Amino acid sequence: MFLGPPGAGKGTQAERLKADLSLTHLATGDLLRDEVKRGTPLGLEAKRAMDAGELVPDAVVVGMIRERLVGDAASNYLLDGFPRTIGQAESLDAMLEGLGAPLDHVLLLSVSQDELLRRLGGRWLCRNCGKSYHETFAPYGGEPCEATGDPCDLYQRDDDRSDAVANRLNVYAAQTAPLIDYYGSRGLLREIDGERGQDEVYGQITSAIQGG
Ligand code: AP5
């Protein structure tokens, strides 16, 4: 599981790790954005909370994860952006116990607030393949979209506006940061210095997973 504040690099590192370890990547933010894009009732309900930088109700995200954490996914999963509250973590515990698929690692990506603001303010994403770029740290170089083969269709997320970002950081501190102690007290948590370059962060992640 990747734990960390908005913009810490969870999605960026998850893309790489899932490819290297053939993991099923379960990212509640991506799942919710897909519901919004398809205009489903769940998406319409979630959009208001997401745009404001608030959390979507626990029952909604727990249901989404429960639906997907079956079959092969249950033995080889990577959680990104879930859980985000103690209530979600408790529901996940019950779910994983039922599946006999305990968590192996919880990796906390730590990044300073100034750096988070720089990362979120400069992030651009492709509408079609979902790949994340940054105007300074990981600029788009015109490479073809992994979904369409055409140039990427880049956009900035509505919740990367400065007012929504401020709210997301407050929500993280109040509702998600308590998970650091929750998993720390079980000996599952490893802290990663997420402030470093992408390759260096990935090196720390693979070494933590291998017990280094
Ligand atoms: P979600 O999509 O999960 O957003 P988030 O947690 O706020 O995380 P981000 O996607 O913003 O950041 P990231 O850590 O993945 O960073 P990234 O790799 O993109 O959730 C969105 C919303 O959905 C929530 O606010 C909430 O409303 C709802 N939601 C989702 N899950 C929920 C849940 N469980 N419960 C309730 N509600 C939920 O990197 C950021 C930028 O930095 C990129 O441009 C990247 O290129 C760049 N970058 C990455 N790594 C580096 C590096 N090492 N150095 C320099 N730049 C870097």
Side-chain angles (χ1 to χ4, degrees):
M1 173 199 301
F2 280 145
L3 188 59
K10 303 180 296 294
T12 301
Q13 298 295 335
E15 281 303 315
R16 201 157 159 183
L17 196 64
K18 81 169 178 194
D20 284 354
L21 299 185
S22 302
L23 301 172
T24 300
H25 178 199
L26 297 171
T28 37
D30 291 345
L31 295 172
L32 288 166
R33 277 184 291 280
D34 183 57
E35 297 278 347
V36 171
K37 192 172 166 188
R38 290 188 290 116
T40 65
L42 190 159
L44 294 176
E45 191 192 327
K47 188 173 180 353
R48 190 207 52 79
M50 293 173 78
D51 285 353
E54 304 287 346
L55 294 184
V56 171
D58 284 358
V60 173
V61 287
V62 167
M64 292 174 79
I65 291 292
R66 181 175 288 119
E67 228 173 73
R68 286 162 178 90
L69 211 49
V70 290
D72 287 349
S75 57
N76 228 4
Y77 57 88
L78 168 58
L79 295 170
D80 162 6
F82 178 90
R84 255 174 152 99
T85 63
I86 296 285
Q88 291 178 22
E90 289 170 348
S91 298
L92 178 67
D93 284 345
M95 226 186 290
L96 295 179
E97 197 178 328
L99 290 163
L103 278 169
D104 299 316
H105 308 280
V106 177
L107 302 176
L108 170 67
L109 299 186
S110 295
V111 178
S112 67
Q113 182 138 328
D114 284 351
E115 176 70 7
L116 294 173
L117 294 175
R118 270 192 292 276
R119 289 189 187 177
L120 293 171
R123 171 166 60 183
W124 290 83
L125 295 146
C126 175
R127 250 178 242 289
N128 298 313
C129 67
K131 200 156 177 198
S132 171
Y133 295 93
H134 190 280
E135 52 198 33
T136 309
F137 306 128
Y140 175 62
E143 50 273 36
C145 168
E146 288 170 12
T148 65
D150 294 329
C152 280
D153 181 7
L154 299 177
Y155 76 103
Q156 286 196 290
R157 275 171 41 177
D158 287 340
D159 62 350
D160 281 348
R161 290 184 333 268
S162 58
D163 55 333
V165 165
N167 207 17
R168 286 161 67 200
L169 292 172
N170 289 337
V171 166
Y172 175 81
Q175 299 193 53
T176 308
L179 294 177
I180 297 171
D181 282 346
Y182 185 88
Y183 289 113
S185 65
R186 298 171 182 206
L188 281 175
L189 192 88
R190 291 292 301 272
E191 187 168 358
I192 305 292
D193 180 359
E195 191 118 355
R196 306 201 171 247
Q198 293 188 12
D199 290 346
E200 215 178 312
V201 173
Y202 190 68
Q204 292 178 59
I205 289 171
T206 51
S207 128
I209 288 175
Q210 289 154 6

